[in-house]
Amino acid sequence: QVQLVESGGGSVQAGGSLRLSCAASGYTWRYSCMGWFRQAPGKEREEVACIYTAGDPTYYTDSVKGRFTIAQDNAKNMVYLQLNSLEPEDTAMYYCAAGRYCAIRGTPTDSGMDYWGKGILVTISS
């Protein structure tokens, strides 16, 4: 199994920044990509960004392009999500995930994700 633990969430004002971290442990050889997803209250889960462990490419959903950046440190089995220019609409539970594939035709997807963290709350105030 693969265990994923998120950290770095919290509350910030609009325009601020946060950095989320995800630590992977266990059978980390079982996945080839990692990603971040989010779910706002009353809404469906949304794919945010993903990256293949072999390196590029990275994928982002349109609403975060230019504001969020996904990065990884394979030596530490870590994946990060830098969130800049945050907006109240970014308020959500953010989940780290790992799996076989993370994008279809250039768009992040959760269909290939096999392992999930418990999530961490990000709250943006206006």
Side-chain angles (χ1 to χ4, degrees):
Q1 289 293 344
V2 175
Q3 293 79 42
L4 303 172
V5 179
E6 303 94 340
S7 61
S11 299
V12 296
Q13 290 188 328
S17 298
L18 282 173
R19 187 192 192 210
L20 305 183
S21 300
C22 175
S25 60
Y27 297 159
T28 57
W29 51 266
R30 284 190 171 181
Y31 60 83
S32 58
C33 63
M34 296 187 74
W36 289 93
F37 299 77
R38 67 185 181 185
Q39 187 167 20
K43 295 187 177 181
E44 294 186 354
R45 186 168 63 196
E46 174 188 29
E47 302 83 3
V48 177
C50 62
I51 186 169
Y52 281 90
T53 56
D56 289 337
T58 56
Y59 301 94
Y60 298 91
T61 195
D62 287 344
S63 62
V64 307
K65 286 180 180 177
R67 301 189 299 122
F68 293 6
T69 303
I70 190 170
Q72 62 186 346
D73 185 335
N74 289 336
K76 297 181 180 179
N77 292 321
M78 297 287 295
V79 67
Y80 308 96
L81 187 67
Q82 180 67 41
L83 295 71
N84 296 329
S85 301
L86 283 161
E87 304 168 351
E89 293 74 22
D90 295 315
T91 294
M93 283 290 290
Y94 283 71
Y95 298 90
C96 176
R100 294 156 285 134
Y101 61 90
C102 67
I104 296 177
R105 297 187 185 91
T107 301
T109 177
D110 64 357
S111 59
M113 292 302 178
D114 303 307
Y115 308 101
W116 293 84
K118 293 183 178 180
I120 193 163
L121 183 61
V122 171
T123 304
I124 312 303
S125 57
S126 58

